[in-house]
Amino acid sequence: MQEEQRLRLSRELHDDLGQLLASVALELHIVRAGSPEMDARLERAAMLIDQLSARVHDAAWSLRPADLDRLGFKASVEDLTTMLCGQLGIACEMDLEALSSPPPAEIALTLYRIAQEALTNIGKHAAPSRVSVTAHIQDDRMRLTIEDDGCGFDGSAEPGPGHLGLAGMRERLALVGGELSVETAWGKGTTIYADVPLAG
């Protein structure tokens, strides 16, 4: 019963509340009142919504999404990738056979959230023509690689306030003994490597 409640809460946070907050934030960013005082208040309201969205995102991260149980680990990551590429109308490359034998539940959840976060960021910021998601196992370690040929970014810059960002992804991986590494540059695309141990 407790697990069912966690699944339901995760879906409600991510699908319902998260989407509503994103819609409200978009409206607030668009609206302009026409006076400096009201514009400033709208800007503050938008900032507060962004902060709340980040907290909801962070809470949902720790809850197990229903797709992991309904579809399985491999199919869930494939579904995330296919959905993004379909929305963007771009080429999609996948080699996820290594996920057919899923790792321990906590590691699977962390890698799923890493894939979800990375693909969401690609959709928001990268403007790519191609996305590749692969997984490989070597020496009792699993590596999930998410690559795009989009605009890239300054990998040395600090994550923006109110966003999970790369620092948060690194922290989440560290909790399961994993590591995150990033290769990126302006105009050169981005590759994210999430490495986790499979043996204790």
Side-chain angles (χ1 to χ4, degrees):
M1 183 180 298
Q2 188 177 50
E3 185 63 21
E4 288 176 359
Q5 290 174 342
R6 287 167 62 87
L7 290 172
R8 184 168 61 252
L9 179 58
S10 174
R11 182 171 293 279
E12 289 174 355
L13 282 172
H14 184 267
D15 294 348
D16 298 333
L17 185 54
Q19 184 59 49
L20 286 171
L21 286 171
S23 297
V24 172
L26 181 60
E27 291 293 332
L28 288 173
H29 282 298
I30 291 173
V31 170
R32 288 294 177 266
S35 71
E37 181 181 354
M38 289 305 296
D39 282 347
R41 293 179 70 90
L42 284 169
E43 187 65 29
R44 174 163 172 75
M47 181 184 69
L48 292 172
I49 290 291
D50 287 343
Q51 291 176 356
L52 179 57
S53 295
R55 293 187 183 184
V56 168
H57 178 283
D58 202 38
W61 180 291
S62 63
L63 296 169
R64 187 175 177 84
D67 280 354
L68 277 180
D69 294 311
R70 182 172 60 86
L71 301 175
F73 183 36
K74 176 175 176 284
S76 295
V77 177
E78 288 175 341
D79 194 51
L80 285 174
T81 308
T82 301
M83 183 180 301
L84 172 75
C85 293
Q87 289 173 338
L88 297 180
I90 61 175
C92 178
E93 300 171 8
M94 284 186 279
D95 178 4
L96 297 173
E97 201 56 42
L99 305 186
S100 295
S101 299
E106 188 177 5
I107 289 176
L109 173 60
T110 299
L111 288 176
Y112 176 86
R113 292 302 193 193
I114 293 293
Q116 188 177 48
E117 180 73 13
L119 290 167
T120 297
N121 289 340
I122 289 171
K124 287 181 178 178
H125 307 297
S129 63
R130 179 187 61 82
V131 168
S132 170
V133 181
T134 62
H136 296 95
I137 296 175
Q138 184 175 1
D139 299 328
D140 291 325
R141 293 184 70 84
M142 176 178 286
R143 165 170 281 190
L144 181 67
T145 304
I146 302 164
E147 181 182 6
D148 70 78
D149 63 351
C151 60
F153 62 94
D154 182 359
S156 64
E158 290 295 322
H163 297 280
L164 182 65
L166 296 174
M169 295 167 76
R170 287 192 176 96
E171 290 172 7
R172 300 291 183 173
L173 277 167
L175 292 175
V176 294
E179 296 177 313
L180 186 85
S181 53
V182 180
E183 294 178 358
T184 187
W186 288 113
K188 300 294 185 181
T190 301
T191 304
I192 289 178
Y193 304 100
D195 293 289
V196 292
L198 297 177

